[in-house]
Structure formats: structure tokens, C-alpha cells
Amino acid sequence: ETGVTQTPRHLVMGMTNKKSLKCEQHLGHNAMYWYKQSAKKPLELMFVYNFKEQTENNSVPSRFSPECPNSSHLFLHLHTLQPEDSALYLCASSQVPPGGYAKNIQYFGAGTRLSVL
Amino acid sequence: TQLLEQSPQFLSIQEGENLTVYCNSSSVFSSLQWYRQEPGEGPVLLVTVVTGGEVKKLKRLTFQFGDARKDSSLHITAAQPGDTGLYLCAGILMEYGNKLVFGAGTILRVKS
């Protein structure tokens, strides 16, 4: 148990569906992240939220829409996805030091395995 | 071209053997981390190294950070089936805005 919980663990959706991934962290951290993990490729950072503000969007297609209502919860809304979006989506959290910003020592959830048909 | 290269990509060994996996970059890391990811789970942090030349040990695992802080290695002594998993290195690269960058990982399979 890493203190970061992701739901659902598995999701199968059609290209016309709308679904949402949920992440909750119980570590008191103030930064949260979405990553995409595909086979044989490095983890791809998608979004970063720092103190509930989105601070990074790494050229992610608009069919992925993040939402961070508070520092403990993070959502990833999905719509009109493509088959190549099938992957493991990982959420992570970390503690940002006062007056600075550091993306180190991240704690990961178990991920949502997404299949787009 | 990846900022951070890991080798080998895949390693299958017998229980009791030793192994080393490598993590290399042409850029300098301000710090580097090693994670292990088991099937169906997210990555779990094993160690963080910060100082060039630093060596850290975690039971049968030995982590080394290169003197120039551009490379790192993970050595496992007497591997056990429980060591099976994906080993990821991740480094904070100063010249890339202190971003945390991950390698593609080394898949380790230890057979009993």
C-alpha cells in the first residue's frame, strides 16, 4: 500500500465512450501527476498539478482532460479515445518543498489498465 | 533518442546468479532514483542517490552513482524469484528544467 489509490484498476472502453479515471492520495502531498506507461517505452509524464494548479501539460491531446478539485484527488476524463491510447495510466504524488518545485520521490498508485477498442 | 538509456532491456537468469543493470545519460543528474515495478502494480521507490560516487546498499541490492553523475548501476547478488520485476531508473536532469525523466526499464525474470 503506497498511499495512492487508483480506480478503476481495469477499464475497457469504445472509442465513442466517455469515462473517468480517479486517483486519491492519503499522504498529505501537495503535488499530483498523471503518467502513461506503454510497453517498452519510458513513462510519459502527462500532467502535473501543484497546489491544485496545473503546472505542466506535456502536449497531451485534448481527448484527455485532467481535473484536480483538491490536493488529495485527481481525475483524468477520457473521451473519444483512440486504440493507441491503450496503456497503463499511473497516478503519483509528491511533496513540493516550500518556495520550490521538485518532482522527485514520487509515490505511485497501482495504475489503471486501459484498453480502447 | 531517449534522455536516459537503460540496459539490458530484458534479463532472464537462474536463482542464485548475480546481475547488474545500467542507467546512462549524456546529461548530468542532480539526483537519481531506482524503482521496482511488479506486475499489476505501480513503481515503488528503492533508493535515491545524490552524490557522485555514492554507493547505497539495500540487502542484496547495491546501487552506485557515477562520479560524473551521468550514470548509475544496480547490482543484485544471489538473485531470488522475488526480485522479478521491472526496474526503472529516473533522474532529475538539470539542463531539462529539473524534470524527472524515466528510462524504459529493465525487465528482470529470476527462475527458480
Side-chain angles (χ1 to χ4, degrees), chain A residues 4-22:
Chain A
V4 181
T5 303
Q6 289 188 244
T7 55
R9 293 294 307 275
H10 302 274
L11 179 62
V12 179
M13 58 187 290
M15 289 190 285
T16 59
N17 291 158
K18 289 184 179 181
K19 297 287 185 183
S20 295
L21 309 184
K22 179 183 176 182

Side-chain angles (χ1 to χ4, degrees), chain A residues 2 9 35 37 40-43 45 56 58 88 90 101 103-111, chain B residues 2 4 9 31 33 35 37 40-45 48 86 88 92 98-100 102-104:
Chain A
T2 64
R9 293 294 307 275
Y35 286 89
Q37 187 176 34
K40 299 182 181 180
K41 293 176 66 176
L43 265 69
L45 180 63
E56 193 157 340
N58 282 339
L88 181 68
L90 291 163
Y101 181 63
K103 291 182 280 187
N104 58 351
I105 311 182
Q106 297 182 18
Y107 295 81
F108 287 84
Chain B
Q2 297 177 15
L4 205 157
Q9 290 186 336
S31 68
Q33 303 159 23
Y35 291 81
Q37 184 176 14
E41 300 296 331
V44 175
L45 181 69
T48 299
L86 174 67
L88 296 163
I92 295 181
N98 284 324
K99 291 188 176 184
L100 182 63
F102 281 84

Side-chain angles (χ1 to χ4, degrees), chain B residues 23-86:
Chain B
C23 177
N24 295 283
S25 175
S26 58
S27 302
V28 177
F29 299 110
S30 55
S31 68
L32 187 140
Q33 303 159 23
W34 284 93
Y35 291 81
R36 181 170 69 205
Q37 184 176 14
E38 297 184 19
E41 300 296 331
V44 175
L45 181 69
L46 296 173
V47 75
T48 299
V49 287
V50 179
T51 306
E54 184 176 3
V55 177
K56 283 192 174 180
K57 292 192 174 184
L58 185 64
K59 297 183 180 178
R60 292 175 294 99
L61 279 60
T62 301
F63 305 85
Q64 186 161 7
F65 200 15
D67 291 339
R69 293 187 293 149
K70 291 185 177 182
D71 58 274
S72 181
S73 64
L74 159 60
H75 181 79
I76 301 179
T77 303
Q80 299 177 1
D83 295 326
T84 293
L86 174 67

